[in-house]
Amino acid sequence: MRQIPTPVDDAAEVFALCISNIADQALKERLEAITVNITAAALGYLQQGQIRQLYSIPPINLPDDAIVAGNVTKGELKKTYSDHMAAKKKPARAIYDSTGLQPVQGREIVASNGYVLRLSAVFSL
């Protein structure tokens, strides 16, 4: 198993940066309202990582239109990640790049809950 460094960025700060330039104000407010969910999930994710049991985090096998936190759908979280975390020239991209965890053979480091995530992003619900 490939070992990777533990994320050092604060999940709430990363999430805030990620959603900082979302133009749709209603979506942005709904995402801001789930910051507590993101930080709680990040803590759980880190705890599972410390005991080397990330594999035990169950996937969210729901359709993209399913509400997964607050009033936010799985699809909206996936789109937030791809459009505002992983997208080049976005504020949170610097955090994405700072990990140095580039895709291996075209695949991201961790895939969980039905969508791609990076440990630095900590988008595990």
Side-chain angles (χ1 to χ4, degrees):
M1 180 179 288
R2 182 177 174 198
Q3 287 191 333
I4 54 178
T6 301
V8 295
D9 299 300
D10 178 84
E13 291 175 10
V14 172
F15 190 61
L17 184 61
C18 185
I19 65 175
S20 66
N21 69 342
I22 292 178
D24 180 339
Q25 192 60 36
L27 173 60
K28 186 175 181 178
E29 288 173 5
R30 287 187 294 116
L31 288 166
E32 288 170 340
I34 66 164
T35 299
V36 67
N37 301 77
I38 297 297
T39 56
L43 178 60
Y45 198 85
L46 290 173
Q47 289 170 339
Q48 291 303 103
Q50 289 172 343
I51 60 173
R52 296 188 170 144
Q53 298 210 358
L54 289 176
Y55 64 87
S56 70
I57 299 172
I60 297 176
N61 294 318
L62 297 171
D64 283 353
D65 61 353
I67 300 290
V68 292
N71 196 22
V72 178
T73 67
K74 179 179 174 180
E76 288 169 327
L77 281 176
K78 287 168 54 174
K79 188 166 174 44
T80 297
Y81 172 81
S82 61
D83 292 358
H84 298 280
M85 184 73 188
K88 293 186 184 214
K89 299 183 181 178
K90 295 292 183 172
R93 178 61 190 227
I95 295 169
Y96 182 94
D97 290 336
S98 73
T99 63
L101 301 174
Q102 300 306 316
V104 176
Q105 297 178 353
R107 293 189 172 178
E108 294 286 340
I109 300 302
V110 178
S112 178
N113 303 327
Y115 59 98
V116 174
L117 68 118
R118 300 282 295 247
L119 291 181
S120 62
V122 200
F123 280 147
S124 179
L125 300 172

